Amino acid sequence: MDDSSGLTERFEEHRSHLRAVSYRMLGSLAEAEDAVQEAWIRLNRSDISDVENLGGWLTTVVSRVCLNMLRSRDSRREDSIEAYPADPAVSREDTVDPEEEAVLADSVGLALLVVLDTLAPAERLAFVLHDLFAVPFDEIAPLLEKTPAATRQLASRARRRVKGAPLVPEADLSRQRSVVDAFLAATRGGSFDALVSLLHPDVVLRADQAVGPTPAPLLFSGAVTVAKGAMAAVQRAQSTQPALVNGVVGLAMAPLGRLFLVLNFTIEEGLITEIDVVAEPERLAELELAVLDA
């Protein structure tokens, strides 16, 4: 362990894991890389001669770093009510490849990243470490200066937020999901006829002014008109995933995991009769988003 090249090699063995933990904790690849780098610096400054589990030691270090970063971020949000939905700490220009981060965000789950961003720092740490990386509560508790039982409660509270509470029976939720999935697939694939087939002939779409540079909210009606509008959003659809929105199935558009807008659907007899596009920050903040099971 005294050999610097040997220590570097051992650290690199854990880098991908540390990066994965940090990204889910912070939701920003640039910040995750910063946290991993900080873990490397602390490793070099520490006497680890008696450390038996280097991976566990590094996970603890990077988790502490992430927790401090989250708490600092929360303080800035309290100072500025305009920090929602984009946080200055994670929207700065970085050397991180945007395409790489987009792929990573999609693999983790855009809806999950959005919901994680609504959790308190302690809840997020407890949930990420336990539910996503199977770290025991008795190992997480010291990081939060809480008992294992209290830490378990934090994770449980976070889990309820992440999973949400459907307002309709499972069978109805499944039917909603089928229609919404088909709508998203048709939009991503640019399949106009498939879109029209999912829409009621008299479908109505309402969209907040914030959706685009318009002087007033948008209102469209008719299957053909609404489908044409959806065709104009093919690129945006690539950063969109299904989510539970106020207890029913909707779509969350969240480039890099940053919530931009939400589509609420009214579905009757297998056809979409209404689409409400929510993009105003105040309205987005009032929505309860949760992750849909695959």
Side-chain angles (χ1 to χ4, degrees):
M1 284 193 184
D2 293 333
D3 181 72
S4 60
S5 62
L7 188 61
T8 300
E9 183 177 336
R10 294 194 64 191
F11 179 81
E12 290 301 323
E13 292 175 358
H14 300 285
R15 179 182 289 276
S16 62
H17 169 75
L18 299 176
R19 187 173 184 253
V21 171
S22 300
Y23 182 69
R24 286 156 181 78
M25 284 285 294
L26 299 168
S28 160
L29 186 52
E31 286 193 320
E33 297 286 11
D34 288 345
V36 172
Q37 181 62 22
E38 178 63 23
W40 165 246
I41 292 172
R42 296 191 184 190
L43 174 62
N44 274 277
R45 293 175 177 173
S46 302
D47 177 7
I48 59 168
S49 58
D50 60 347
V51 172
E52 297 181 0
N53 181 358
L54 183 60
W57 188 90
L58 287 169
T59 299
T60 296
V61 170
V62 83
S63 296
R64 289 187 188 278
V65 172
C66 290
L67 183 62
N68 290 336
M69 293 172 75
L70 287 172
R71 286 171 172 167
S72 176
R73 185 190 297 176
D74 261 18
S75 297
R76 289 195 297 274
R77 281 178 174 170
E78 291 174 1
D79 292 339
S80 174
I81 61 173
E82 297 181 356
Y84 187 90
D87 191 303
V90 293
S91 59
R92 57 186 172 84
E93 291 186 3
D94 294 291
T95 57
V96 169
D97 182 356
E99 290 187 10
E100 180 187 6
E101 181 155 18
V103 171
L104 181 58
D106 190 62
S107 67
V108 171
L110 300 178
L112 176 61
L113 290 173
V114 168
V115 179
L116 287 177
D117 205 39
T118 68
L119 302 177
E123 292 175 342
R124 187 165 185 170
L125 182 140
F127 175 81
V128 168
L129 289 183
H130 180 268
D131 284 45
L132 303 186
F133 293 97
V135 178
F137 287 120
D138 59 358
E139 294 181 20
I140 303 172
L143 294 171
L144 300 173
E145 299 181 342
K146 295 184 180 295
T147 65
T151 304
R152 184 186 298 273
Q153 288 299 315
L154 286 171
S156 177
R157 189 158 62 228
R159 195 178 303 118
R160 288 194 295 271
R161 291 283 297 277
V162 171
K163 296 297 183 182
L167 295 182
V168 297
E170 184 65 32
D172 290 339
L173 197 70
S174 179
R175 284 191 285 268
Q176 291 178 4
R177 179 69 182 269
S178 177
V179 174
V180 172
D181 280 349
F183 178 90
L184 180 58
T187 304
R188 284 179 171 174
S191 179
F192 182 79
D193 291 340
L195 268 175
V196 171
S197 71
L198 295 167
L199 302 172
H200 188 279
D202 299 319
V203 63
V204 174
L205 182 146
R206 302 176 183 84
D208 287 343
Q209 182 179 348
V211 171
T214 59
L218 302 174
L219 177 64
F220 299 106
S221 61
V224 171
T225 301
V226 171
K228 286 181 178 178
M231 287 294 93
V234 171
Q235 190 59 41
R236 285 183 170 183
Q238 308 308 316
S239 58
T240 301
Q241 286 185 353
L244 200 63
V245 183
N246 290 343
V248 297
V249 181
L251 291 175
M253 183 181 297
L256 305 184
R258 300 286 171 254
L259 188 62
F260 177 65
L261 61 80
V262 166
L263 280 74
N264 290 315
F265 297 90
T266 300
I267 300 171
E268 298 178 6
E269 298 182 356
L271 294 177
I272 299 170
T273 58
E274 294 183 26
I275 304 174
D276 183 21
V277 185
V278 181
E280 298 290 351
E282 295 81 4
R283 293 187 68 198
L284 287 173
E286 293 173 353
L287 298 176
E288 292 187 9
L289 268 68
V291 177
L292 279 166
D293 292 333

